[in-house]
Amino acid sequence: MLTQWFERARFEYHPSKPPEFKVLLGLLGDEMAQPSQATPHPAEHFDPSSVVLELNRVASGFEQPVHATHAGDGSGRLFVVERAGRIRGLDGGTPRARPFLDITDLVGSGYVEQGLLSVAFHPNYRANGLFFVDYTDKAGNTVVARYRVGADPNVADRSSATTILTIDQPYQNHNGGQLAFGHDGYLYIGMGDGGSAGDPHHNGQSLATLLGKLLRIDVNGGSPYAIPPDNPFRGTAGARPEIWALGLRNPWRFSFDRETGDLFIGDVGQDAREEVDLEPAGSRGGRNYGWNTMEGSSCFRPASGCNRTGLELPIAEYGHDRGCSITGGFRYRGADVPALRGGYFFADFCSGRIWGMASDAGRWTKTELLNSGLSITSFAEDERGELYVMELSNGTLYRLGAHHR
């Protein structure tokens, strides 16, 4: 996340200019069609040419929010992750005074790609009270830990912490940080390539390291976890069995379509291309998304004539004339905004642009919807399937909306 600004040493915090929150979809005319590798689904309702996108303020007062999600327990609550090491619940339009979890003493957040980066609640949270966090520790290494809710449903039990996985990080950037449970009940973990620039250790294409990968583990079996029996590299000599997919640079945000189980990955690029990758539901894993042989659909190493055999091309990409660090989002499956139904939405952190993607018989087209002026760190999906975005600088949570033009 934020990769390009860091590598060029030009990141700075600043208040965002007030965004123009209503822009006709399709006005900017940036469409791109590519064939999807997913199993085609029936055409969805989303038509970017017919609606106006809106962002509606929900709550302010968060400190550098980077992630949010729901607990799936029927409460309808949203939990917002603050980079310094807190998870905050919402109380009306303001964050709760007492955090759900505060581990700021454990979290290393001195560099802006470090910190407490996400939370994922167990699919059976209502019964077992378990949830998982991904953070960088004081040494800068990745930690995935399990916690349990306390007697108060709005406060976690800090003493319940159990470390599930620790991964050494050679540099400060490209820590990944996304946790999410798939429809199969396994925990997926997004890991960047370890940082610096250009993947100097060639981690993206190496099966001997967890860096530059999407991991898949069974947190319900083994101690501290088990390897799912159908993980693609479980029986491969020299390979880490946790690996589900490889060839990722920094998959800062990914999500599962709550209806189909399709997996969308927003992978941050190097100097030229940002990309959206798609793994269809029912995949057997083992897909190679190309880094650092490729950046998006272009050769990276070598700069031309690279061997694309066996590599998965993105379903969408954009150049650095439109931004520099993709924030992957969600496919809208809510009920409150029918005009957005079936659209996949993502953004760029640097420019604040938001895109929507429509699928028709397995073909995807992307349309630039809105230049918000926001530093969007993450999208979020609530229990009902409604979508939100978070702003780093002003600490505000917005809800996506739309109306027909």
Side-chain angles (χ1 to χ4, degrees), residues 32 34 273 275 294-299 306 308 313-314 317:
M32 184 183 80
Q34 293 206 27
R273 311 298 293 173
E275 69 184 83
M294 300 184 69
E295 179 187 9
S297 62
S298 300
C299 291
C306 60
R308 305 182 186 212
L313 295 179
E317 60 186 335

Side-chain angles (χ1 to χ4, degrees), residues 46 140 144 154-155 163 174 209 211 213 241 264 278 286 290 296 298 304 324 327 370 372:
F46 179 55
V144 177
N154 292 310
V155 181
T163 298
H174 300 188
T209 176
L211 298 174
K213 310 297 189 301
F264 294 85
L278 175 61
S298 300
S304 63
C324 77
T327 300
L370 177 64
S372 72

Side-chain angles (χ1 to χ4, degrees), residues 134-294:
D134 185 306
Y135 66 90
T136 52
D137 63 16
K138 297 295 185 181
N141 297 317
T142 291
V143 176
V144 177
R146 185 187 68 214
Y147 286 83
R148 187 184 302 272
V149 70
D152 181 342
N154 292 310
V155 181
D157 178 7
R158 253 196 63 133
S159 67
S160 67
T162 299
T163 298
I164 301 297
L165 182 64
T166 301
I167 302 172
D168 291 343
Q169 293 284 358
Y171 303 99
Q172 293 176 313
N173 57 339
H174 300 188
N175 299 303
Q178 174 80 53
L179 298 179
F181 282 92
H183 287 201
D184 53 17
Y186 296 128
L187 182 64
Y188 290 73
I189 305 167
M191 292 302 304
D193 65 7
S196 188
D199 192 9
H201 300 293
H202 308 286
N203 292 324
Q205 293 297 314
S206 171
L207 293 176
T209 176
L210 300 181
L211 298 174
K213 310 297 189 301
L214 186 66
L215 313 180
R216 179 180 185 247
I217 63 174
D218 178 5
V219 297
N220 297 313
S223 180
Y225 61 85
I227 303 299
D230 57 346
N231 267 17
F233 301 107
R234 179 170 179 156
T236 301
R240 292 295 302 262
E242 297 92 340
I243 296 172
W244 178 252
L246 67 154
L248 294 165
R249 186 173 182 273
N250 194 31
W252 165 245
R253 291 292 174 248
F254 63 85
S255 67
F256 292 93
D257 184 328
R258 62 164 52 197
E259 289 191 2
T260 67
D262 293 338
L263 171 61
F264 294 85
I265 305 170
D267 195 17
V268 180
Q270 179 72 42
D271 294 323
R273 311 298 293 173
E274 306 294 308
E275 69 184 83
V276 178
D277 298 309
L278 175 61
E279 178 178 291
S283 168
R284 296 183 178 181
R287 291 183 171 231
N288 186 338
Y289 292 101
W291 178 253
N292 64 354
T293 301
M294 300 184 69

